[in-house]
Amino acid sequence: MLIHSASQLLTLSGGPQRGQALGSLGILEDGAVLVRGEMILAVGPTKELMAANPHEPTLDASGCVVLPGFVDPHTHVVWAGDRAREFELKMAGAKYLDILAAGGGILSTVRQTRAASIETLMDETRPRLARMFAHGTTTAEAKTGYGLESQAELRMLQAILALDAAGPLELAPTFLGAHAIPPEYKGNPQGYTDLLCTEMLPFIRQWWASQPSTASRPLPFVDVFCETGAFDLAQSRQILTKARQLGFPLKLHADEFEDLGGASLGVELAAVSVDHLVKTSDRNIQALAASDTVAVSLPCTPFGLAESEYTPAHKIIALGGLLALASDCNPGTAWNESMQFVIALACRTLKLTPAQAIAAATINAAHAIRRADRVGSLEPGKQADLLILSVPDYRHLGYRFGTNLVRQVIKRGRVYLVETGAHPTQ
Ligand code: NIG
Ligand code: FE
């Protein structure tokens, strides 16, 4: 298939974009992409690719922007139940961490998720994934973290793997058993930390190796919520060190509400990414920016909580860091399924240009989940995951918000019409 005549084709070629290089879109005017099976075979000017492939079926992208599918590298999209009442309380002044300390918040979703079967979890999650896909997310990370005991965490992991296998949206799994202190360990976070290290992480490691469907796949990420009221710095270090010994790649929730030093811990342990980074001190930002760990900013989270502070993205860029964007889609702080909205918010609150935000939501986001070799840019040899936007200029991303600009999503070479949701047209 030859997708041709795009008013702008954004290749995002050349690998992850550090520091001031962020925002190199690699724009081809009147561009075309040649797709063969699930892969991209060639990218170039329409005239050239048309001449070289005269008998290829065509898809006309005149007047449209074509770009790589969005990668959303931080989500808690799998959960059961509802927390709308909590939103109302928060808008009336209740604090997120106080609701958690009182047994609500994450722990409210834990109760509802523990009571759900794998099938129920999948049924509740599927429409959310369909909306993400319809808004242009073609690959996303998805975390466990609402089970907080081995069997319930495993059910979440199994739901993520089954949803990934069902497609079309691909999911990269993360084990977040260290998301909160479960009710059984109330007042004893060290007891739960020890349980994670001695039982839960080895259990997940062993389960993964024992399944024919996962044994040859890379291990899931292990993530920790490093925050007052969740896991302190020493406990985060203990869990991540154990995870690293077991061979898991690492992620970390750091400095969402307080700077506990999580960003530097992530760098020290060579985490793949450190996420949130709102209250991070200059010293910790410096350590992060000088490393290969990706700084993942989640602007929907302060926005969702009606807070005024955001990731100091410009400091990260000025210091040469790797910046990515994610939705943090979750039932407590940020129920947003659209990376287009993340980009619009990042332009306004992180002061990114549309080009910087697009690069942070594609190639750098792919790097934040170790998939930049397969997705995140339009280059020969990569997966044919791309979007056709019904706008002529890429800056409409960022400029516009609240409506869906996606005309078609192409995932592994199959074309999906947004109007009909996740049903392939061919
Ligand atoms: O990234 N901060 C911890 N975890 C999520 C919120 C999860 C929830 O409230 O259910 C976050 O914001
Ligand atoms: Fe999160």
Side-chain angles (χ1 to χ4, degrees):
M1 173 177 62
L2 186 65
I3 302 163
H4 65 90
S5 308
S7 63
Q8 296 174 336
L9 187 132
L10 316 182
T11 64
L12 280 298
S13 61
Q17 302 181 4
R18 279 200 95 96
Q20 307 290 357
L22 185 67
S24 321
L25 297 179
I27 303 180
L28 269 176
E29 281 175 13
D30 197 7
V33 192
L34 181 64
V35 173
R36 189 63 49 80
E38 299 191 352
M39 308 299 281
I40 294 172
L41 212 60
V43 178
T46 295
K47 253 199 199 127
E48 264 176 37
L49 291 197
M50 282 280 210
N53 302 277
H55 307 300
E56 196 73 23
T58 56
L59 202 167
D60 188 351
S62 307
C64 294
V65 170
V66 172
L67 78 164
F70 298 124
V71 176
D72 186 346
H74 181 138
T75 85
H76 308 251
V77 70
V78 179
W79 78 80
D82 186 89
R83 277 157 65 192
R85 163 83 186 126
E86 223 181 74
F87 170 69
E88 194 174 49
L89 293 173
K90 281 184 297 218
M91 293 308 105
K95 286 275 152 258
Y96 179 75
L97 289 178
D98 294 342
I99 295 174
L100 177 62
I106 295 172
L107 294 177
S108 155
T109 303
V110 167
R111 280 188 294 279
Q112 301 176 81
T113 301
R114 282 181 173 182
S117 64
I118 296 178
E119 290 68 32
T120 304
L121 277 175
M122 289 176 68
D123 288 346
E124 293 205 23
T125 304
R126 228 177 258 114
R128 297 193 277 265
L129 296 179
R131 285 188 291 268
M132 285 167 70
F133 189 74
H135 286 83
T137 299
T138 46
T139 302
E141 183 256 18
K143 300 178 197 292
T144 69
Y146 296 118
L148 308 186
E149 52 94 6
S150 291
Q151 289 305 321
E153 284 291 312
L154 180 61
R155 283 200 298 281
M156 286 195 75
L157 188 59
Q158 288 174 295
I160 293 168
L161 292 170
L163 290 162
D164 172 50
L169 177 46
E170 276 182 278
L171 296 174
T174 294
F175 175 76
L176 179 59
H179 195 192
I181 312 302
E184 305 79 47
Y185 284 85
K186 193 173 180 344
N188 182 17
Q190 189 55 45
Y192 184 58
T193 300
D194 293 341
L195 182 82
L196 276 160
C197 293
T198 57
E199 285 183 30
M200 294 173 72
L201 285 169
F203 168 73
I204 294 294
R205 178 72 186 81
Q206 202 199 350
W207 181 86
W208 193 270
S210 72
Q211 302 300 302
S213 57
T214 48
S216 61
R217 268 178 81 143
L219 284 169
F221 297 101
V222 166
D223 192 349
V224 176
F225 186 19
C226 179
E227 196 73 49
T228 303
F231 298 86
D232 67 21
L233 193 67
Q235 289 156 351
S236 302
R237 179 191 296 279
Q238 186 184 335
I239 298 161
L240 292 175
T241 302
K242 178 70 191 184
R244 192 157 85 145
Q245 280 165 7
L246 292 170
F248 291 103
L250 308 180
K251 287 183 167 280
L252 190 58
H253 280 67
D255 313 330
E256 181 175 355
F257 301 103
E258 264 183 67
D259 184 7
L260 300 187
S264 289
L265 177 66
V267 172
E268 183 192 321
L269 298 178
V272 177
S273 75
V274 175
D275 304 23
H276 281 293
L277 305 166
V278 175
K279 305 283 181 176
T280 314
S281 68
D282 284 359
R283 198 173 56 82
N284 288 328
I285 284 288
Q286 250 160 25
L288 185 58
S291 77
D292 287 332
T293 299
V294 183
V296 179
S297 177
L298 314 164
C300 289
T301 311
F303 178 79
L305 292 168
E307 287 175 359
S308 52
E309 262 183 276
Y310 288 82
T311 307
H314 271 275
K315 280 188 193 158
I316 296 170
I317 294 170
L319 291 164
L322 276 161
L323 181 76
L325 288 170
S327 71
D328 198 19
C329 184
N330 78 76
T333 60
W335 188 341
N336 163 49
E337 290 131 344
S338 168
M339 287 297 284
Q340 295 172 63
F341 183 67
V342 174
I343 288 168
L345 213 49
C347 291
R348 288 162 184 79
T349 61
L350 311 183
K351 311 291 178 205
L352 299 187
T353 62
Q356 288 175 322
I358 291 167
T362 53
I363 187 63
N364 281 15
H367 190 55
I369 55 168
R370 288 193 166 167
R371 297 218 178 177
D373 56 332
R374 281 151 59 188
V375 297
S377 64
L378 303 183
E379 294 175 270
K382 280 211 170 174
Q383 237 170 252
D385 288 11
L386 48 115
L387 310 177
I388 302 181
L389 303 185
S390 52
V391 296
D393 184 308
Y394 74 87
R395 286 166 293 204
H396 282 250
L397 280 173
Y399 166 43
R400 291 165 66 174
F401 54 95
T403 48
N404 191 0
L405 305 180
V406 172
R407 188 184 90 179
Q408 278 151 324
V409 181
I410 292 140
K411 177 65 185 174
R412 289 180 148 173
R414 299 187 82 189
V415 182
Y416 295 80
L417 273 180
V418 162
E419 287 80 16
T420 52
H423 299 294
T425 55
Q426 57 177 55

